[in-house]
Amino acid sequence: MTSTATHVGSSFVPKVTSMVGAEALRLMNRFPHRDRPSTWEATAVTREEVLERLTRPPLRAVEPSAQANRMFGARLLLDWLMTFPGETWQQRWQKSPAHGQHIASQGWRDAFAAWARPEGRVSRRETLLVGLLALLCADAVRPDPEFLIGSRSRHLRPALETTRDPEGFARLRASLPTNISAANISSGLKTIAEIMACRGGAIEDIVVGDLLLWQRKNPSNSNGRIQLAYTWLRDLGLFPADAPHTLFRISNRTGQLTPADLVDRYELQCRPIRDLLVAYLSHRSVGLDFTTLQALTISLALRFWGDLERHHPGIDSLRLPAEVITAWKVRLATKTFRVPRFSKCADGRPIHAWDAKGTRRSFAGEERSAFWGWAAIEILRHTGIRIEELLELGHHSIVSYKLPITGQTVPLLQIAPSKTDQERLVLVTPELADVLSTVVSRVRGSDGRVPVVRSYDHYERVWNPPMPLLFQDRSGGYLRPLSRATIRRGLDVTLLASGLTDSAGDPLIFQPHDFRRIFITDSILKGLPPHIAQVIAGHDHIETTMGYAAIYPTDAIEAHRAFIARRRALRPADEYRTVTPEEWGEFLGHFERRKLALGDCGRSYGTDCAHEHACVRCPALIVHATERPRLVEIRDNLLTRILEAEREGWLGEIEGLQSSLTHAEEKLAQLDAQISRKQESVDLGIPTFREIVARSTAAATPPGPA
């Protein structure tokens, strides 16, 4: 396909912004933040009324010296704001140099000092900040979020907690987890105090959009105190039921995007190629989950066409020269490796140390990584489950079954549907039971229960309902499920510490899926029938199971012989007696009874018809050449019935009729090819009679004169 346009406007698409954070933008549209009013009661009072309020509880400081400093700073700041136009203190604040600045910015402080110095007033930094804190507690001014976010003030949170909403803060503190650190409590409450100072109101007036706004204004802190504040307020019941479960990494999450959005992330320049990719991906998106669709988009839009545009600017056709194709393949075969970093942080209060190499070590972080790496290895090798199934294991996944005959209780592990959408049960061995017991003991709360957390479905980009997941841990002051990256890092650290190497001497690298192959291979080598291993692994086809089993043909033959020998030893001896003439006649007569109207049935001996005598659809039907007219009549009849069903709107029958028509046409094509091969002649290269005569004549004629 070649673009016919000659100018940029019609040939190329405009650049678009990245879709990272698209989920946060959608949530902000759904949960808007509170608008700051233009005026309110506390900001419309006079200077004397503001100062009079500061002399009464709860705005009055307990210590006389602190109260004197607060009043002195408030008078100076109010006098400075009086020099700017406006009817309210908020209007004067927005006209002052402090508007649009950060509290630690030197610009507005220098402006205040320049005003105070000619007046002969003290302009110390502490005086200015104390006066500002007094006005914030009195709700006389409400700065923008940028003014307070990231402030290092130690007095803002306790001052607003005491003066603005002591009952709300007390109720919030009573609802906090008991095992959270004092540092996390202080940082989370400080975020809530900042929102109250900038948006007004009490704790119960804070809405979801306020936290989303704080996260957008300071995305680097989205995983810390903002997340803590949001979780506490949500658990307190202040947010609606459809509010997001967490703000964790919300600035990086995209949610489910349309194929057009996925393609436009890579800013493709050629419009026809971009439209072609969007149309193709829209067609494929019907039968794919979002992660697979995204991976396909990366392959086509980024690694294929995007790579070509970066290295061949102006390219606008899929008719690629040979040298372009070769260069693209070389680039595609080059892979960049990044050295992984382990033990970035620890939970709770970490204990650090420096080893002999000068490397800073976190004991708590390394213990956490080692434990979950050990737990993942043990569960994966004893069950053969997938990594997504591992992370979805919950406390309720451990079930028991009582044998009806012996009354023995058998522990089972219930595997939730994942790749094949099939739920299955796995027998819990004593070794696996010990591992599960250790994991449950680690994640169980003080009340003896496994806490419920929400996990994020990375395939569909949606949040799952709260579940008592086994693979969860406390990080940053709140509980959250472990990610795939955490499990993989745990495996890498464990293997690196073990000292295992490959044939080249490099550290051995294991993927979680490798344990699935080991489990299936080991089970089949120990005599487990392959079809039973297929059920345990959750495969749709036994060929997939045998593809996982790394077994040599000799091993497979010996294992099968051993299995047959063990089975014969357990069965009665009369099952292996000599076949009687009647039984042999019954077996031979089976082939005579397979005669059908169109030919023969090729199904195995002693089996029933699996297609309910819908012979046209059955692959076991062997059509005779003499029955071709009958097969043509069946095909024409199916065409007529399909047209009638479409005309009458019988949508339920069209699919079945279309399937029969497809199989009938396939069998008719196979029969025509068979008949054609029988009728055609093959030239074997034997000399004809005419050539023999010509050669004989030539041999009898004497040669002429030279």
Side-chain angles (χ1 to χ4, degrees), residues 17-245:
T17 58
S18 174
M19 296 306 296
V20 173
E23 184 175 345
L25 295 178
R26 288 195 296 267
L27 287 175
M28 291 193 68
N29 294 330
R30 185 177 177 186
F31 301 98
H33 59 80
R34 290 179 293 165
D35 292 331
R36 184 173 53 197
S38 59
T39 184
W40 57 93
E41 181 180 359
T43 194
V45 299
T46 64
R47 175 181 181 275
E48 288 71 20
E49 289 175 325
V50 174
L51 295 176
E52 195 276 333
R53 286 189 58 203
L54 293 176
T55 61
R56 293 184 283 110
L59 297 178
R60 179 181 178 86
V62 177
E63 297 182 1
S65 58
Q67 176 64 15
N69 292 333
R70 184 175 299 184
M71 295 298 296
F72 181 70
R75 291 191 189 96
L76 283 179
L77 193 56
L78 289 175
D79 292 342
W80 179 61
L81 292 177
M82 286 289 292
T83 63
F84 301 101
E87 299 294 331
T88 65
W89 298 111
Q90 180 65 22
Q91 294 173 359
R92 299 182 183 108
W93 173 271
Q94 292 179 343
K95 295 295 183 180
S96 72
H99 180 64
Q101 298 287 325
H102 188 263
I103 189 174
S105 176
Q106 194 64 32
W108 75 284
R109 296 179 181 178
D110 292 341
F112 176 81
W115 166 83
R117 192 174 299 111
E119 299 291 332
R121 309 198 182 191
V122 179
S123 59
R124 293 189 307 168
R125 175 178 179 271
E126 292 77 7
T127 303
L128 177 61
L129 296 181
V130 168
L132 175 60
L133 182 60
L135 296 187
L136 292 178
C137 293
D139 200 19
V141 294
R142 296 177 182 176
D144 292 334
E146 293 85 353
F147 186 82
L148 288 181
I149 288 181
S151 170
R152 297 183 179 181
S153 173
R154 297 181 290 106
H155 306 286
L156 178 64
R157 190 268 308 161
L160 265 72
E161 181 176 352
T162 304
T163 60
R164 294 282 288 272
D165 189 15
E167 294 81 6
F169 276 96
R171 186 161 63 98
L172 178 60
R173 284 180 176 274
S175 65
L176 298 182
T178 57
N179 55 351
I180 190 170
S181 65
N184 285 330
I185 293 178
S186 178
S187 61
L189 294 180
K190 183 179 180 182
T191 299
I192 297 176
E194 291 174 355
I195 296 176
M196 293 172 56
C198 296
R199 283 294 182 263
I203 288 181
E204 62 181 9
D205 298 320
I206 299 177
V207 298
V208 175
D210 294 341
L211 274 300
L212 292 172
L213 176 65
W214 244 248
Q215 185 276 333
R216 184 169 66 89
K217 294 293 185 180
N218 189 19
S220 62
N221 198 30
S222 60
N223 298 334
R225 56 193 184 98
I226 298 177
Q227 166 65 21
L228 284 174
Y230 180 86
T231 303
W232 298 343
L233 296 178
R234 183 205 62 202
D235 295 342
L236 200 61
L238 300 183
F239 296 157
D242 57 344
H245 175 74

Side-chain angles (χ1 to χ4, degrees), residues 347-365:
D347 299 333
R349 181 172 298 177
I351 301 176
H352 297 99
W354 284 260
D355 57 17
K357 298 180 180 179
T359 303
R360 187 170 182 262
R361 305 278 296 272
S362 170
F363 296 156

Side-chain angles (χ1 to χ4, degrees), residues 19-20 252-259 261-263 265-266 281 285 288-303 456-461:
M19 296 306 296
V20 173
N252 298 326
R253 299 203 303 260
T254 62
Q256 288 195 357
L257 305 176
T258 64
D261 292 335
L262 290 173
V263 173
R265 292 188 305 171
Y266 305 110
L281 293 171
S285 64
L288 300 177
D289 57 64
F290 182 79
T291 298
T292 305
L293 178 66
Q294 185 180 32
L296 184 60
T297 306
I298 293 175
S299 299
L300 295 177
L302 175 64
R303 296 175 181 167
Y456 189 69
D457 190 338
H458 292 273
Y459 288 100
E460 299 295 345
R461 295 298 194 271

Side-chain angles (χ1 to χ4, degrees), residues 72 398 468 543 625:
F72 181 70
I398 306 174
E543 291 81 7

Side-chain angles (χ1 to χ4, degrees), residues 340-345 369 488-489 492-493 496:
R341 296 190 302 170
F342 308 117
S343 301
K344 295 181 180 179
C345 62
S369 177
R488 295 180 187 276
R489 283 196 299 267
D492 293 340
V493 171
L496 186 63

Side-chain angles (χ1 to χ4, degrees), residues 462-658:
V462 295
W463 286 96
N464 297 320
M467 295 181 293
L469 299 178
L470 296 183
F471 279 76
Q472 61 171 286
D473 207 344
R474 184 172 297 277
S475 178
Y478 57 93
L479 289 172
R480 62 187 182 191
L482 299 184
S483 63
R484 297 186 178 192
T486 302
I487 299 300
R488 295 180 187 276
R489 283 196 299 267
L491 295 180
D492 293 340
V493 171
T494 304
L495 287 172
L496 186 63
S498 67
L500 297 176
T501 59
D502 56 16
S503 57
D506 298 326
L508 194 63
I509 298 178
F510 257 72
Q511 299 296 333
H513 215 70
D514 294 335
F515 293 96
R516 183 171 173 83
R517 301 178 182 274
I518 294 175
F519 173 81
I520 296 176
T521 301
D522 186 62
S523 300
I524 295 179
L525 283 177
K526 291 182 178 179
L528 185 69
H531 65 280
I532 301 299
Q534 173 194 351
V535 175
I536 296 176
H539 288 150
D540 288 335
H541 307 285
I542 195 171
E543 291 81 7
T544 306
T545 307
M546 297 308 297
Y548 273 61
I551 303 175
Y552 294 100
T554 305
D555 298 334
I557 295 174
E558 295 299 329
H560 186 264
R561 287 179 176 177
F563 168 72
I564 294 297
R566 291 195 302 271
R567 182 177 179 182
R568 287 187 174 183
L570 298 175
R571 304 300 299 175
D574 56 357
E575 291 188 1
Y576 302 96
R577 56 182 173 78
T578 305
V579 179
T580 62
E582 292 77 10
E583 292 172 338
W584 184 249
E586 173 68 19
F587 174 73
L588 296 178
H590 161 77
F591 299 97
E592 295 297 329
R593 292 192 295 272
R594 295 191 306 174
K595 301 297 182 182
L596 302 173
L598 294 176
D600 293 335
C601 178
R603 69 178 186 271
S604 304
Y605 169 71
T607 59
D608 297 329
C609 180
H611 297 275
E612 299 180 355
H613 301 284
C615 299
V616 176
R617 302 185 189 179
C618 183
L621 174 63
I622 305 174
V623 183
H624 290 177
T626 56
E627 300 299 333
R628 187 183 185 281
R630 171 61 177 163
L631 189 58
V632 173
E633 180 182 353
I634 293 175
R635 181 200 60 186
D636 296 341
N637 179 262
L638 289 171
L639 289 172
T640 304
R641 293 175 62 187
I642 290 176
L643 294 176
E644 179 184 5
E646 292 177 347
R647 184 175 61 255
E648 299 295 335
W650 300 335
L651 302 180
E653 296 185 8
I654 294 178
E655 183 178 358
L657 294 173
Q658 188 65 45

